[in-house]
Coordinates of all heavy atoms in Angstrom, one line a residue:
M1 N 64.2 132.0 49.1 CA 64.8 131.8 47.8 C 65.4 133.2 47.2 O 64.6 134.2 47.4 CB 63.9 131.2 46.7 CG 64.4 131.1 45.4 SD 63.3 130.2 44.2 CE 63.6 128.6 44.9
A2 N 66.5 133.2 46.7 CA 67.0 134.4 46.2 C 66.2 134.9 45.0 O 65.6 134.1 44.3 CB 68.5 134.2 45.6
E3 N 66.1 136.2 44.8 CA 65.2 136.6 43.7 C 66.0 137.7 42.9 O 66.9 138.4 43.3 CB 64.0 137.3 44.3 CG 63.1 136.2 45.0 CD 61.8 136.8 45.5 OE1 61.6 138.1 45.4 OE2 61.0 136.1 46.1
Y4 N 65.6 137.8 41.6 CA 66.2 138.7 40.7 C 65.0 139.5 40.1 O 64.2 138.9 39.4 CB 67.0 138.0 39.6 CG 67.7 138.9 38.7 CD1 69.0 139.5 39.0 CD2 67.2 139.3 37.5 CE1 69.7 140.3 38.1 CE2 67.9 140.2 36.6 CZ 69.1 140.7 37.0 OH 69.8 141.5 36.1
G5 N 64.9 140.7 40.5 CA 63.6 141.5 40.0 C 62.4 140.9 40.6 O 61.3 140.9 39.9
G6 N 62.4 140.2 41.7 CA 61.2 139.6 42.3 C 61.0 138.2 41.9 O 60.0 137.6 42.3
N7 N 61.9 137.6 41.1 CA 61.7 136.3 40.6 C 62.8 135.4 41.0 O 64.0 135.8 41.0 CB 61.6 136.3 39.1 CG 60.4 137.0 38.6 OD1 59.3 136.8 38.9 ND2 60.7 138.0 37.7
P8 N 62.6 134.1 41.4 CA 63.7 133.2 41.6 C 64.5 133.0 40.4 O 64.0 133.1 39.3 CB 63.0 131.9 42.0 CG 61.5 132.2 42.3 CD 61.2 133.5 41.5
F9 N 65.9 132.7 40.6 CA 66.7 132.6 39.4 C 67.8 131.6 39.6 O 68.1 131.1 40.7 CB 67.3 133.9 39.1 CG 68.3 134.5 40.1 CD1 69.6 134.3 40.0 CD2 67.8 135.2 41.2 CE1 70.5 134.8 40.9 CE2 68.6 135.7 42.2 CZ 70.0 135.5 42.0
F10 N 68.5 131.3 38.5 CA 69.7 130.4 38.5 C 70.9 131.3 38.2 O 70.8 132.1 37.4 CB 69.6 129.3 37.4 CG 68.5 128.3 37.7 CD1 67.2 128.5 37.3 CD2 68.7 127.2 38.5 CE1 66.2 127.7 37.5 CE2 67.7 126.3 38.7 CZ 66.4 126.5 38.2
S11 N 72.0 130.9 38.9 CA 73.2 131.7 38.7 C 74.4 130.8 38.2 O 74.3 129.6 38.5 CB 73.7 132.3 40.0 OG 72.7 133.3 40.5
C12 N 75.5 131.4 37.7 CA 76.7 130.7 37.4 C 77.2 130.1 38.7 O 77.4 130.9 39.7 CB 77.6 131.7 36.7 SG 79.2 131.0 36.4
R13 N 77.6 128.9 38.7 CA 78.1 128.3 39.9 C 79.5 128.9 40.2 O 79.9 129.0 41.4 CB 78.3 126.7 39.7 CG 78.8 126.0 40.9 CD 78.8 124.5 40.7 NE 77.5 123.9 40.5 CZ 76.7 123.6 41.5 NH1 77.0 123.8 42.7 NH2 75.5 123.0 41.2
N14 N 80.3 129.3 39.2 CA 81.6 129.8 39.3 C 81.6 131.2 40.0 O 82.4 131.5 40.9 CB 82.3 129.8 38.1 CG 83.7 130.0 38.1 OD1 84.4 129.5 39.0 ND2 84.3 130.8 37.2
C15 N 80.8 132.1 39.5 CA 80.9 133.6 39.9 C 79.5 134.1 40.5 O 79.5 135.2 40.8 CB 81.4 134.4 38.8 SG 80.2 134.6 37.5
K16 N 78.5 133.3 40.5 CA 77.2 133.8 40.9 C 76.5 134.8 40.1 O 75.5 135.4 40.6 CB 77.3 134.2 42.4 CG 77.9 133.3 43.4 CD 77.2 131.9 43.5 CE 77.7 131.0 44.5 NZ 78.7 129.9 44.0
N17 N 76.9 135.0 38.9 CA 76.2 135.9 38.0 C 74.9 135.4 37.6 O 74.7 134.2 37.2 CB 77.1 136.0 36.7 CG 76.7 137.1 35.8 OD1 76.1 138.1 36.1 ND2 77.1 137.0 34.5
P18 N 73.8 136.2 37.7 CA 72.5 135.7 37.4 C 72.4 135.3 35.9 O 72.9 136.1 35.1 CB 71.6 136.9 37.6 CG 72.4 137.8 38.5 CD 73.8 137.6 38.2
L19 N 71.8 134.1 35.6 CA 71.7 133.7 34.2 C 70.3 133.4 33.7 O 70.1 133.7 32.5 CB 72.5 132.3 34.2 CG 74.0 132.4 34.5 CD1 74.5 131.0 34.5 CD2 74.7 133.3 33.5
A20 N 69.4 132.9 34.5 CA 68.1 132.6 34.0 C 67.1 132.6 35.1 O 67.3 132.3 36.3 CB 68.1 131.2 33.4
L21 N 65.8 133.1 34.8 CA 64.8 133.1 35.8 C 64.1 131.8 35.9 O 64.0 131.0 34.9 CB 63.8 134.2 35.4 CG 64.3 135.6 35.2 CD1 63.1 136.5 34.8 CD2 64.7 136.1 36.6
R22 N 63.6 131.4 37.0 CA 63.0 130.2 37.2 C 61.8 130.0 36.2 O 61.5 129.0 35.8 CB 62.5 130.0 38.6 CG 61.5 128.8 39.0 CD 62.1 127.5 38.6 NE 61.2 126.4 38.9 CZ 60.5 125.9 37.9 NH1 60.4 126.4 36.7 NH2 59.7 124.8 38.2
E23 N 61.0 131.1 36.0 CA 59.9 131.1 35.1 C 60.2 130.8 33.6 O 59.4 130.5 32.9 CB 59.1 132.4 35.2 CG 59.9 133.6 34.7 CD 59.2 135.0 35.0 OE1 58.7 135.1 36.1 OE2 59.1 135.8 34.1
D24 N 61.6 130.9 33.3 CA 62.0 130.5 32.0 C 62.4 129.1 31.8 O 62.9 128.7 30.7 CB 63.1 131.5 31.5 CG 62.6 133.0 31.3 OD1 61.4 133.0 30.9 OD2 63.3 133.9 31.6
L25 N 62.4 128.3 32.9 CA 62.8 126.9 32.9 C 61.7 126.1 32.2 O 60.6 126.1 32.6 CB 63.1 126.4 34.3 CG 63.4 125.0 34.4 CD1 64.7 124.6 33.8 CD2 63.4 124.6 35.9
L26 N 62.1 125.4 31.1 CA 61.1 124.7 30.3 C 61.2 123.2 30.7 O 60.1 122.5 30.7 CB 61.4 124.8 28.9 CG 61.2 126.3 28.3 CD1 61.7 126.3 26.9 CD2 59.8 126.7 28.5
S27 N 62.4 122.7 30.9 CA 62.5 121.2 31.2 C 63.8 120.9 32.0 O 64.8 121.6 31.7 CB 62.5 120.4 29.9 OG 62.6 119.1 30.1
K28 N 63.7 119.9 32.8 CA 64.9 119.4 33.5 C 65.3 118.0 33.0 O 66.1 117.3 33.6 CB 64.6 119.2 35.0 CG 64.3 120.6 35.7 CD 64.1 120.3 37.2 CE 63.9 121.6 37.9 NZ 63.7 121.4 39.3
K29 N 64.8 117.6 31.8 CA 65.0 116.3 31.3 C 66.0 116.2 30.1 O 65.7 115.4 29.2 CB 63.6 115.8 30.9 CG 62.7 115.6 32.1 CD 61.3 115.0 31.7 CE 60.5 114.8 32.9 NZ 59.2 114.3 32.5
F30 N 67.0 116.9 30.2 CA 68.0 116.9 29.1 C 69.3 116.5 29.7 O 69.6 116.5 30.8 CB 68.1 118.3 28.4 CG 66.9 118.6 27.5 CD1 65.7 119.1 28.0 CD2 67.0 118.4 26.1 CE1 64.7 119.3 27.2 CE2 66.0 118.6 25.3 CZ 64.8 119.1 25.8
V31 N 70.2 116.0 28.7 CA 71.5 115.6 29.1 C 72.6 116.3 28.2 O 72.3 116.5 27.0 CB 71.7 114.0 28.8 CG1 73.1 113.6 29.1 CG2 70.6 113.3 29.6
A32 N 73.6 116.8 28.9 CA 74.7 117.5 28.2 C 76.1 116.8 28.5 O 76.0 115.7 29.0 CB 74.8 118.9 28.6
K33 N 77.2 117.5 28.1 CA 78.5 116.9 28.3 C 78.7 116.3 29.8 O 79.3 115.3 29.9 CB 79.5 117.9 28.0 CG 79.5 118.4 26.6 CD 80.5 119.5 26.4 CE 80.3 120.2 25.1 NZ 81.1 121.4 25.0
S34 N 78.3 117.1 30.8 CA 78.6 116.8 32.2 C 77.5 116.0 32.9 O 77.6 115.7 34.1 CB 79.0 118.0 33.0 OG 77.8 118.9 33.1
G35 N 76.4 115.7 32.1 CA 75.3 115.1 32.7 C 74.0 115.8 32.6 O 73.7 116.3 31.5
A36 N 73.2 115.9 33.6 CA 71.9 116.6 33.6 C 72.1 118.0 33.1 O 73.0 118.8 33.4 CB 71.3 116.5 35.0
A37 N 71.0 118.4 32.4 CA 71.0 119.8 31.8 C 69.5 120.3 31.8 O 68.5 119.5 31.8 CB 71.5 119.9 30.4
Y38 N 69.3 121.6 31.9 CA 68.0 122.2 32.0 C 67.9 123.1 30.7 O 68.8 123.6 30.2 CB 67.9 123.2 33.2 CG 67.9 122.6 34.5 CD1 67.9 123.4 35.6 CD2 67.9 121.2 34.7 CE1 67.9 122.8 36.9 CE2 67.8 120.6 35.9 CZ 67.9 121.4 37.0 OH 67.8 120.9 38.3
M39 N 66.7 123.0 30.1 CA 66.3 123.8 28.9 C 65.5 125.1 29.4 O 64.6 125.0 30.1 CB 65.5 123.0 27.9 CG 65.2 123.9 26.7 SD 64.3 123.0 25.4 CE 65.7 122.3 24.6
F40 N 66.0 126.2 28.9 CA 65.4 127.5 29.2 C 65.0 128.2 27.9 O 65.5 128.0 26.8 CB 66.4 128.4 29.9 CG 66.9 128.0 31.3 CD1 68.0 127.1 31.4 CD2 66.1 128.4 32.3 CE1 68.3 126.7 32.7 CE2 66.5 128.0 33.6 CZ 67.6 127.2 33.8
S41 N 63.9 129.0 28.1 CA 63.4 129.7 26.9 C 64.2 131.0 26.7 O 64.3 131.4 25.5 CB 61.9 130.1 27.1 OG 61.7 130.8 28.3
H42 N 64.7 131.5 27.8 CA 65.5 132.7 27.8 C 66.7 132.6 28.8 O 66.6 131.9 29.7 CB 64.8 133.9 28.0 CG 63.6 134.2 27.1 ND1 62.4 133.8 27.4 CD2 63.6 134.9 26.0 CE1 61.6 134.1 26.4 NE2 62.3 134.7 25.5
A43 N 67.8 133.4 28.6 CA 68.9 133.5 29.5 C 69.4 134.9 29.4 O 69.2 135.6 28.5 CB 69.9 132.5 29.2
M44 N 70.0 135.4 30.5 CA 70.7 136.7 30.5 C 72.1 136.5 30.9 O 72.6 135.6 31.5 CB 70.0 137.6 31.6 CG 69.9 137.0 32.9 SD 68.8 138.0 33.9 CE 68.2 136.7 35.0
N45 N 72.9 137.6 30.6 CA 74.3 137.6 31.1 C 75.1 136.5 30.4 O 76.0 135.9 31.1 CB 74.5 137.6 32.6 CG 73.8 138.9 33.1 OD1 73.8 140.0 32.6 ND2 73.1 138.7 34.3
V46 N 74.8 136.1 29.2 CA 75.5 135.0 28.5 C 76.1 135.6 27.2 O 75.5 136.5 26.7 CB 74.7 133.8 28.2 CG1 74.3 133.1 29.4 CG2 73.5 134.0 27.3
I47 N 77.2 135.0 26.8 CA 77.8 135.4 25.5 C 77.5 134.1 24.6 O 77.8 133.0 25.0 CB 79.3 135.6 25.6 CG1 79.5 136.9 26.5 CG2 80.0 135.8 24.3 CD1 81.0 137.1 26.9
V48 N 77.1 134.3 23.4 CA 76.8 133.3 22.5 C 78.0 133.2 21.5 O 78.4 134.2 20.9 CB 75.6 133.6 21.7 CG1 75.2 132.5 20.6 CG2 74.3 133.8 22.5
G49 N 78.5 132.0 21.4 CA 79.8 131.8 20.6 C 79.4 131.6 19.1 O 78.3 131.9 18.6
Q50 N 80.4 131.0 18.4 CA 80.2 130.7 17.0 C 79.3 129.6 16.8 O 79.3 128.6 17.4 CB 81.6 130.3 16.3 CG 82.6 131.5 16.3 CD 82.2 132.6 15.4 OE1 81.7 132.4 14.3 NE2 82.4 133.8 15.8
K51 N 78.5 129.8 15.7 CA 77.5 128.7 15.3 C 78.3 127.6 14.6 O 79.2 127.8 13.8 CB 76.5 129.3 14.3 CG 75.4 128.4 13.8 CD 74.4 129.1 13.0 CE 75.0 129.5 11.7 NZ 74.1 130.0 10.7
E52 N 77.8 126.3 14.9 CA 78.4 125.1 14.2 C 77.3 124.0 14.2 O 76.4 124.0 15.0 CB 79.6 124.6 14.9 CG 79.4 124.1 16.3 CD 80.6 123.5 17.0 OE1 81.8 123.9 16.6 OE2 80.5 122.7 17.9
D53 N 77.5 123.2 13.2 CA 76.6 122.0 13.2 C 77.1 120.9 14.1 O 78.4 120.7 14.1 CB 76.4 121.5 11.7 CG 75.5 122.4 10.9 OD1 74.8 123.2 11.4 OD2 75.5 122.1 9.6
R54 N 76.3 120.3 14.9 CA 76.7 119.3 15.8 C 75.8 118.1 15.8 O 74.6 118.3 15.9 CB 76.8 119.9 17.2 CG 77.6 119.2 18.2 CD 77.6 119.9 19.5 NE 78.4 121.2 19.4 CZ 78.5 122.1 20.3 NH1 77.7 122.1 21.4 NH2 79.3 123.1 20.2
K55 N 76.3 116.9 15.7 CA 75.4 115.7 15.8 C 75.3 115.3 17.2 O 76.2 115.2 18.0 CB 76.2 114.6 15.0 CG 75.3 113.3 15.0 CD 75.8 112.3 14.1 CE 75.0 111.0 14.0 NZ 73.6 111.1 14.1
M56 N 73.9 115.2 17.6 CA 73.6 114.9 19.0 C 72.7 113.6 19.0 O 72.4 113.1 17.9 CB 72.9 116.1 19.6 CG 73.8 117.3 19.7 SD 72.9 118.6 20.5 CE 74.1 119.9 20.3
I57 N 72.4 113.2 20.1 CA 71.5 112.0 20.2 C 70.2 112.1 19.5 O 69.8 111.1 18.8 CB 71.3 111.7 21.7 CG1 72.6 111.3 22.5 CG2 70.2 110.6 21.9 CD1 72.4 111.3 24.0
T58 N 69.6 113.3 19.5 CA 68.3 113.5 18.8 C 68.5 114.0 17.4 O 67.4 114.3 16.8 CB 67.4 114.3 19.6 OG1 68.1 115.6 19.9 CG2 67.0 113.7 20.9
G59 N 69.6 114.1 16.9 CA 69.8 114.5 15.5 C 70.9 115.6 15.3 O 71.7 115.8 16.2
V60 N 70.9 116.2 14.1 CA 71.9 117.2 13.8 C 71.2 118.5 14.0 O 70.1 118.8 13.5 CB 72.4 117.0 12.4 CG1 73.4 118.2 12.1 CG2 73.0 115.7 12.2
F61 N 71.9 119.4 14.7 CA 71.5 120.8 15.0 C 72.6 121.8 14.7 O 73.8 121.5 14.9 CB 71.2 120.9 16.5 CG 70.1 120.0 17.0 CD1 70.3 118.7 17.4 CD2 68.8 120.5 16.9 CE1 69.3 117.9 17.8 CE2 67.7 119.6 17.4 CZ 68.0 118.4 17.8
S62 N 72.2 123.0 14.4 CA 73.1 124.1 14.3 C 73.0 124.8 15.7 O 71.9 125.1 16.2 CB 72.7 125.1 13.3 OG 73.5 126.2 13.2
V63 N 74.1 124.8 16.4 CA 74.2 125.3 17.8 C 75.3 126.3 18.0 O 76.2 126.3 17.2 CB 74.4 124.1 18.8 CG1 73.1 123.2 18.7 CG2 75.6 123.4 18.7
A64 N 75.2 127.0 19.1 CA 76.3 127.9 19.5 C 76.6 127.8 21.0 O 75.6 127.7 21.7 CB 76.0 129.4 19.2
D65 N 77.8 127.5 21.4 CA 78.1 127.4 22.8 C 77.8 128.7 23.5 O 77.9 129.8 22.9 CB 79.5 127.0 23.0 CG 79.8 125.5 22.7 OD1 78.9 124.8 22.7 OD2 81.0 125.2 22.3
I66 N 77.4 128.6 24.8 CA 77.1 129.8 25.5 C 78.0 129.8 26.7 O 78.4 128.8 27.3 CB 75.6 130.0 25.9 CG1 75.2 128.8 26.7 CG2 74.7 130.2 24.7 CD1 73.8 129.0 27.4
Y67 N 78.4 131.1 27.1 CA 79.4 131.4 28.2 C 78.8 132.4 29.2 O 78.1 133.3 28.7 CB 80.7 131.8 27.6 CG 81.3 130.9 26.5 CD1 80.9 131.1 25.2 CD2 82.2 129.9 26.8 CE1 81.4 130.2 24.2 CE2 82.7 129.1 25.9 CZ 82.3 129.2 24.5 OH 82.8 128.4 23.6
C68 N 79.2 132.3 30.4 CA 79.0 133.3 31.4 C 79.6 134.6 30.9 O 80.8 134.6 30.6 CB 79.4 132.9 32.8 SG 79.2 134.2 34.0
S69 N 78.9 135.8 31.0 CA 79.5 137.0 30.5 C 80.4 137.6 31.6 O 81.1 138.5 31.3 CB 78.3 138.0 30.2 OG 77.6 138.3 31.4
N70 N 80.4 137.1 32.8 CA 81.2 137.7 33.8 C 82.6 136.9 33.9 O 83.6 137.5 33.9 CB 80.5 137.6 35.2 CG 81.3 138.3 36.3 OD1 81.7 139.4 36.1 ND2 81.5 137.5 37.3
C71 N 82.5 135.5 34.0 CA 83.7 134.8 34.3 C 84.1 133.9 33.0 O 85.2 133.3 33.0 CB 83.6 133.8 35.4 SG 82.5 132.5 35.2
G72 N 83.4 133.8 32.0 CA 83.7 133.1 30.8 C 83.5 131.6 30.9 O 83.8 130.9 29.9
Q73 N 82.9 131.1 32.0 CA 82.6 129.6 32.1 C 81.7 129.2 31.0 O 80.7 129.8 30.8 CB 82.0 129.4 33.5 CG 81.5 128.0 33.7 CD 82.5 127.0 33.9 OE1 83.5 127.2 34.6 NE2 82.5 125.8 33.3
E74 N 82.1 128.0 30.3 CA 81.2 127.5 29.3 C 80.0 126.9 30.1 O 80.2 126.1 31.0 CB 81.9 126.4 28.5 CG 81.1 125.8 27.4 CD 81.7 124.8 26.6 OE1 83.0 124.7 26.6 OE2 81.1 124.1 25.9
L75 N 78.8 127.2 29.7 CA 77.6 126.8 30.4 C 76.8 125.7 29.6 O 76.1 124.9 30.3 CB 76.7 128.0 30.6 CG 77.3 129.2 31.4 CD1 76.4 130.4 31.2 CD2 77.5 128.7 32.8
G76 N 76.8 125.7 28.3 CA 76.0 124.8 27.6 C 76.0 125.3 26.1 O 76.9 125.8 25.6
W77 N 74.7 125.3 25.5 CA 74.6 125.7 24.1 C 73.2 126.3 23.9 O 72.3 126.0 24.6 CB 75.0 124.7 23.1 CG 74.2 123.5 23.2 CD1 72.9 123.3 22.6 CD2 74.5 122.3 23.9 NE1 72.5 122.0 22.9 CE2 73.4 121.4 23.7 CE3 75.5 121.9 24.7 CZ2 73.4 120.1 24.2 CZ3 75.6 120.5 25.2 CH2 74.4 119.7 25.0
K78 N 73.1 127.1 22.8 CA 71.9 127.6 22.2 C 71.6 126.9 21.0 O 72.5 126.7 20.1 CB 71.9 129.1 22.0 CG 70.6 129.7 21.5 CD 70.8 131.2 21.3 CE 69.4 131.7 20.9 NZ 69.4 133.2 20.9
Y79 N 70.4 126.4 20.8 CA 69.9 125.7 19.6 C 69.5 126.8 18.6 O 68.7 127.6 18.8 CB 68.7 124.8 19.8 CG 69.0 123.6 20.5 CD1 68.7 123.5 21.9 CD2 69.4 122.5 19.9 CE1 69.0 122.3 22.6 CE2 69.7 121.3 20.6 CZ 69.4 121.2 21.9 OH 69.6 120.0 22.6
I80 N 70.3 126.8 17.5 CA 70.0 127.8 16.5 C 69.0 127.4 15.4 O 68.0 127.9 15.0 CB 71.3 128.2 15.7 CG1 72.4 128.8 16.7 CG2 71.0 129.4 14.7 CD1 72.0 129.9 17.6
R81 N 69.3 126.1 14.9 CA 68.5 125.4 14.0 C 68.3 123.9 14.1 O 69.4 123.3 14.4 CB 69.0 125.7 12.6 CG 68.2 125.1 11.4 CD 68.7 125.6 10.0 NE 67.8 124.9 9.1 CZ 68.3 124.5 7.9 NH1 69.6 124.7 7.5 NH2 67.5 123.9 7.1
A82 N 67.2 123.4 13.9 CA 67.0 121.9 14.0 C 66.7 121.4 12.5 O 65.9 122.0 11.9 CB 65.9 121.6 14.8
Y83 N 67.5 120.5 12.1 CA 67.3 120.0 10.7 C 66.1 119.0 10.6 O 65.6 118.8 9.6 CB 68.5 119.3 10.2 CG 69.7 120.4 10.0 CD1 70.7 120.5 11.0 CD2 69.6 121.2 9.0 CE1 71.6 121.5 10.8 CE2 70.6 122.3 8.8 CZ 71.6 122.3 9.7 OH 72.5 123.4 9.6
D84 N 65.7 118.4 11.8 CA 64.6 117.4 11.8 C 63.4 118.2 12.2 O 63.3 118.9 13.3 CB 64.9 116.4 12.9 CG 63.8 115.4 13.0 OD1 62.6 115.6 12.6 OD2 64.0 114.3 13.8
P85 N 62.3 118.2 11.4 CA 61.1 119.0 11.8 C 60.6 118.6 13.1 O 60.0 119.5 13.8 CB 60.1 118.5 10.6 CG 60.9 118.2 9.5 CD 62.2 117.5 10.1
G86 N 60.7 117.4 13.6 CA 60.2 117.0 14.9 C 61.0 117.5 16.1 O 60.6 117.5 17.2
Q87 N 62.1 118.2 15.8 CA 63.0 118.8 16.9 C 63.0 120.4 16.8 O 63.7 121.0 17.6 CB 64.4 118.3 16.7 CG 64.6 116.8 17.0 CD 64.2 116.4 18.4 OE1 64.6 117.1 19.3 NE2 63.5 115.3 18.5
M88 N 62.2 120.9 15.9 CA 62.2 122.4 15.8 C 61.8 123.2 17.0 O 62.1 124.3 17.1 CB 61.3 122.8 14.6 CG 61.9 122.3 13.2 SD 60.9 122.9 11.9 CE 62.2 123.3 10.7
F89 N 61.1 122.5 18.0 CA 60.7 123.2 19.1 C 61.9 123.7 20.0 O 61.8 124.6 20.8 CB 59.8 122.3 20.1 CG 60.6 121.1 20.7 CD1 61.0 121.3 22.0 CD2 60.8 119.9 20.0 CE1 61.7 120.2 22.6 CE2 61.5 118.9 20.6 CZ 62.0 119.0 21.9
K90 N 63.0 123.1 19.7 CA 64.3 123.5 20.4 C 64.9 124.8 19.9 O 65.7 125.4 20.6 CB 65.3 122.4 20.3 CG 64.9 121.1 21.0 CD 66.0 120.0 20.9 CE 65.6 118.7 21.6 NZ 66.5 117.6 21.3
E91 N 64.5 125.2 18.7 CA 65.2 126.3 18.1 C 65.0 127.6 19.0 O 63.9 127.9 19.5 CB 64.6 126.6 16.7 CG 65.0 125.5 15.7 CD 64.5 125.8 14.3 OE1 63.7 126.7 14.1 OE2 64.9 125.0 13.4
G92 N 66.1 128.3 19.2 CA 66.1 129.4 20.0 C 66.2 129.2 21.5 O 66.3 130.1 22.3
R93 N 66.1 127.9 21.9 CA 66.2 127.6 23.3 C 67.6 127.4 23.8 O 68.5 127.1 23.0 CB 65.4 126.4 23.6 CG 63.9 126.3 23.0 CD 63.0 127.2 23.9 NE 61.7 127.4 23.4 CZ 60.6 126.6 23.5 NH1 60.7 125.5 24.0 NH2 59.5 127.1 22.9
L94 N 67.8 127.5 25.1 CA 69.1 127.3 25.6 C 69.2 126.1 26.6 O 68.3 125.9 27.3 CB 69.6 128.6 26.4 CG 69.5 129.9 25.5 CD1 68.3 130.7 25.8 CD2 70.8 130.6 25.8
L95 N 70.3 125.3 26.4 CA 70.5 124.2 27.3 C 71.7 124.5 28.2 O 72.8 124.8 27.7 CB 70.8 123.0 26.4 CG 70.6 121.6 27.2 CD1 69.2 121.3 27.3 CD2 71.3 120.5 26.4
I96 N 71.5 124.5 29.5 CA 72.5 124.8 30.4 C 72.7 123.6 31.3 O 71.8 123.1 31.9 CB 72.1 126.1 31.3 CG1 71.8 127.3 30.4 CG2 73.2 126.4 32.3 CD1 71.4 128.6 31.1
E97 N 74.0 123.3 31.4 CA 74.4 122.1 32.1 C 74.1 122.4 33.7 O 74.5 123.4 34.3 CB 75.9 121.8 32.0 CG 76.1 121.4 30.6 CD 77.6 121.0 30.4 OE1 78.2 120.3 31.2 OE2 78.2 121.5 29.3
R98 N 73.5 121.4 34.4 CA 73.1 121.5 35.8 C 74.4 121.7 36.7 O 74.3 122.5 37.6 CB 72.3 120.3 36.2 CG 72.0 120.3 37.7 CD 71.0 121.4 37.9 NE 70.7 121.6 39.4 CZ 71.3 122.5 40.2 NH1 72.2 123.3 39.7 NH2 70.9 122.5 41.4
A99 N 75.5 121.1 36.3 CA 76.7 121.2 37.1 C 77.3 122.7 37.0 O 78.2 123.0 37.8 CB 77.7 120.2 36.6
K100 N 76.9 123.5 36.0 CA 77.4 124.8 35.9 C 76.6 125.9 36.5 O 77.0 127.0 36.5 CB 77.6 125.1 34.4 CG 78.4 124.0 33.6 CD 79.8 124.1 33.9 CE 80.6 123.0 33.1 NZ 80.9 123.2 31.8
I101 N 75.4 125.6 37.1 CA 74.6 126.6 37.6 C 74.2 126.2 39.0 O 74.2 125.0 39.5 CB 73.3 126.8 36.8 CG1 72.5 125.5 36.5 CG2 73.7 127.5 35.5 CD1 71.2 125.7 35.8
V102 N 73.7 127.2 39.8 CA 73.2 127.0 41.1 C 71.9 127.7 41.3 O 71.8 128.9 40.8 CB 74.2 127.4 42.2 CG1 74.5 128.9 42.1 CG2 73.8 127.0 43.6
K103 N 70.9 127.1 41.9 CA 69.7 127.8 42.2 C 69.8 128.4 43.6 O 70.1 127.6 44.5 CB 68.5 126.7 42.2 CG 67.1 127.3 42.3 CD 66.1 126.3 42.2 CE 64.7 126.9 42.2 NZ 63.7 125.9 42.0
M104 N 69.6 129.7 43.7 CA 69.8 130.4 44.9 C 68.7 130.2 45.9 O 67.6 130.3 45.5 CB 70.1 131.9 44.6 CG 71.2 132.1 43.6 SD 72.8 131.5 44.1 CE 73.3 132.8 45.3
Y105 N 69.0 129.9 47.2 CA 67.9 129.9 48.2 C 68.3 130.8 49.3 O 69.3 131.2 49.5 CB 68.0 128.4 48.8 CG 67.5 127.4 47.9 CD1 68.3 126.7 47.0 CD2 66.1 127.1 47.7 CE1 67.8 125.7 46.2 CE2 65.6 126.2 46.9 CZ 66.5 125.5 46.1 OH 66.0 124.5 45.3

């Protein structure tokens, strides 16, 4: 498996820019615009866009789209604020669409 600083990682499918370490993967059970999505506690080499409120399946959240810092590919979003107390665990977490990343082997 490819490693970044000794750790397995996920890269941008478009340009292979390292985005997130395997150890920061929290869940594979999310859904985004293109289908399956992964939730990460941290990501690197991403640009965080403008914050906006967005209605989603699980409620209304303040989110910011995230982009690859190398090629500009939209990857998913970062949860800034959850208005439902039961969804606050998502705050500060990043959701990256599975179709936009590749796990290096």
